[in-house]
Amino acid sequence: MNKTIIHLCLFALLFPLMANAQKDNKAIKWGKILPADLEMSTYTADTQAAAVILTDVGFITVNVHSGLNYRFRHHRRIKILKEAGFAEATIELPFYTGQDPEKITGLKAQIILPNGEKYNVPRKDIFEEEVQKNWTVKKFTFPKLQEGAIIEYRYDLTSERILQLQDWNFQHDLPVRYSELVVEIPSWLEYVYLFNGLQDRARKKVVEGELLVVEGNEEDLDPLEGDASVKIDKNSFVMENIPAIQREPYMTTVDDYRASIRFQLSKLNYPDGRKEHILSSWEDTAKELLEDENFGQQFLKKRNYKKILEDVAPKIAGINDEMKKMEILCKFVSSNVKWNGKYRMFVPKSLNNAYEIKSAPSGTINMMLLALMRYAGMKASPVLVSTRQHGKMIQQYPIVDQFNHMIVLAEMNGKKITLDITDPIRPMGYPDIQALNSYGWKVDKETPQWIAIEAPGGSDMFMVNANLDEDGRLSGIIKGQYNGYNAVPERKNHQKSPMGQHWQGRLGANAQIDSMSVENLNVPEKRLKEKFYFELEDAAMVTGSMIYFTPIFYSNFNEQMFRLENRDFPVDIPYPFKEQFVIKVKIPDGYEVEEIPERKRVIIVNNGGEFNFLCEQKGSYIQVLSKIQIRQLKYQPEEYDNIKEFFERITEKLGEQIVLKKTEG
């Protein structure tokens, strides 16, 4: 039987089922507002919320109509509680406009004022805007906004991109009172459900599927003996009273921890009993990528990087030291092709083309290096990663779309080095911080595998020699040394403000910076060193015969870092770091030490980090030693109290004051 005819017949039978399923859901009806919701002035579960999503309901129905497609119906209702919530009244609905484009239809939007009056969003105020290639948003804003109003909108999105169905987020940056997703899928298709975050709060309801019979009527094309039948599997996923999720310090992307569900097509079950696996193995995926013209063939075929090779070949001719050769290749590529700021793993046109225009996305630049290293006889492989802001990776299933960046794994002299040369002022062997997402997938024909991405460290060290006068003015010399990752932003600061204006911002408007000198500015492999004179008005508070002085007047950790009482997601620090201070301050003549901070040492459980603080008087000087070091990079929610308390104690100690008293006579 002709498959298209099966599809058409099945769709005709599915459509009434879809309509009935949506009709049966009692969670939300257009324009039907409960009096209690209209009168609500505060959301009890989160009294600080400026707005709350009252109800969020979605339906995904996979159907068959001239080929497989699905429809996503979405209905959302939001209560505006405070003026700060007005920002929620601007809605953007993204949809794909490339090959097999998606469509948004049936869009309705209205606002219900506290007095019950309703106003629709006019069609003329709904417009479309292309946000990037192949992606457009349908955008609109609700009129007559005021506190206490309720806004709601609904629409249908149809798509033929059935490999991955529409994602559903239960959790948002607003609290959510009720969220439900209903999914209807013919048993001919099998999807992998990928649930993320707060799984213990979710309820899943399996609805008994209905059996539909599809009659065959083209015997010459019929792969079946008789009629085909398909069962419709219906599942409902519900979450209630979901807290808002906000970005916190030391977090990858909010989406990594947002309560959500994704669907990936894994298998097709044909009516005649045949099965087709959509999710292949990692080995097959590696083979396909290496044969891809925009990936593997770019570095495997010399024609794609011939122009680059012609220019760099003389520079490495006769050099046998592989480390030296690799260093030359890294500097050549990074200095000749500028990163355009985009993370990509595929090459848009060719490596030669990117070399000519001198600009390229991340994967293209790193693939140039890969091609040249392999041509030079060095062992190097592509490694795919998902950047920290793009999201965590799923190792169980070979889903290529989860990656958005490519780095290079070099193996020489028994050592493995990860190379990412998108920024020429980053030391060799230091991947982009965004690439430090724990793991990467090595694309290799014989042994594709997941590898750990080791994070090199960074450090700051400050030596301060200063005088404090009786008016509270502090002046002297600061010497700073920066290494590894910590040196990268400092180099950029000095490139933008060679006179040290960035320190003006750090020390305050009354600070004066003079005679800035810098060493190793353009030598990423060495420590960046700086030296400058400074003067701080009102560095200390003078009250009568007393002077109150905070000796560590600048630190990356002067302010409290973790403010949440509890955290449902890990603390994820990208790389190990160290901050040190050695401070020597001359006591003003005629003053003596009245009070001095006590010595302090704090160690995180399992030696994951350490803080040491020592303040003591030595003759007419006060000397302060402070050292903060983090070794453990990830702390699970149950360890949150440890890391939170660690940084709280640091902030508290760094804020303590030295008290000086004027001597009599």
Side-chain angles (χ1 to χ4, degrees), residues 12 15 25 38 65 96 253 262 276-277 283 315 341 357 429 447 461 465 472 479 489 513 606 618 646:
F15 189 83
N25 189 283
L38 205 55
H65 181 54
Y96 182 74
T253 173
R262 294 168 54 195
E276 179 182 346
H277 290 272
E283 289 76 14
K315 299 180 182 296
I357 63 177
T447 56
M461 182 174 180
N465 197 332
K479 295 179 181 179
I513 307 299
N606 298 324
K618 290 191 173 182
F646 177 74

Side-chain angles (χ1 to χ4, degrees), residues 181-390:
L181 177 67
V182 179
V183 184
E184 294 178 341
I185 301 175
S187 60
W188 288 355
L189 293 85
E190 289 187 25
Y191 282 85
V192 173
Y193 290 18
L194 305 171
F195 209 104
N196 189 61
L198 302 180
Q199 296 185 40
D200 56 327
R201 298 195 185 193
R203 302 198 313 270
K204 179 182 177 183
K205 181 172 63 176
V206 180
V207 180
E208 185 67 28
E210 296 190 24
L211 187 67
L212 302 179
V213 177
V214 184
E215 297 181 354
N217 56 9
E218 286 196 11
E219 295 182 1
D220 56 329
L221 297 176
D222 189 0
L224 310 172
E225 292 292 336
D227 299 333
S229 61
V230 60
K231 181 181 177 184
I232 304 302
D233 296 320
K234 179 180 176 183
N235 294 294
S236 173
F237 303 88
V238 177
M239 292 186 73
E240 297 183 71
N241 301 319
I242 313 151
I245 185 168
Q246 302 286 348
R247 179 156 189 84
E248 285 287 311
Y250 295 127
M251 188 180 189
T252 50
T253 173
V254 172
D255 288 337
D256 275 353
Y257 310 106
R258 187 192 306 277
S260 62
I261 190 168
R262 294 168 54 195
F263 305 89
Q264 173 73 42
L265 183 63
S266 63
K267 189 188 300 182
L268 292 177
N269 300 314
Y270 290 103
D272 62 357
R274 290 180 295 116
K275 297 182 183 296
E276 179 182 346
H277 290 272
I278 304 301
L279 281 179
S280 60
S281 65
W282 283 112
E283 289 76 14
D284 289 342
T285 301
K287 182 180 178 182
E288 291 170 6
L289 282 170
L290 293 173
E291 293 174 353
D292 193 303
E293 278 297 326
N294 296 105
F295 190 81
Q297 296 302 296
Q298 288 294 320
F299 66 86
L300 293 174
K301 299 295 184 183
K302 182 180 174 181
R303 66 172 183 270
N304 289 315
Y305 60 91
K306 184 179 178 181
K307 294 178 181 178
I308 314 168
L309 184 60
E310 289 174 351
D311 288 349
V312 77
K315 299 180 182 296
I316 58 174
I319 297 177
N320 296 319
D321 186 322
E322 287 196 333
M323 289 295 292
K324 180 65 176 177
K325 195 183 298 185
M326 181 173 68
E327 182 180 342
I328 293 172
L329 293 176
C330 286
K331 290 185 176 180
F332 177 83
V333 176
S334 63
S335 62
N336 278 280
V337 184
K338 185 179 180 180
W339 180 41
N340 64 10
K342 297 178 181 179
Y343 293 101
R344 300 287 187 273
M345 51 179 276
F346 290 102
V347 178
K349 293 184 179 179
S350 74
L351 297 179
N352 286 326
N353 175 262
Y355 182 64
E356 286 183 342
I357 63 177
K358 306 299 180 185
S359 176
S362 61
T364 300
I365 293 174
N366 289 328
M367 197 168 286
M368 287 182 189
L369 174 64
L370 174 65
L372 296 174
M373 289 181 67
R374 290 172 68 97
Y375 182 83
M378 289 181 272
K379 189 175 182 180
S381 305
V383 175
L384 301 183
V385 298
S386 172
T387 57
R388 292 172 64 85
Q389 288 303 307
H390 187 253

Side-chain angles (χ1 to χ4, degrees), residues 39-50:
E39 296 168 5
M40 180 193 297
S41 59
T42 303
Y43 181 50
T44 307
D46 185 351
T47 56
Q48 300 301 311

Side-chain angles (χ1 to χ4, degrees), residues 28-39:
I28 186 170
K29 289 186 177 180
W30 182 257
K32 300 293 183 181
I33 309 297
L34 294 174
D37 288 346
L38 205 55
E39 296 168 5

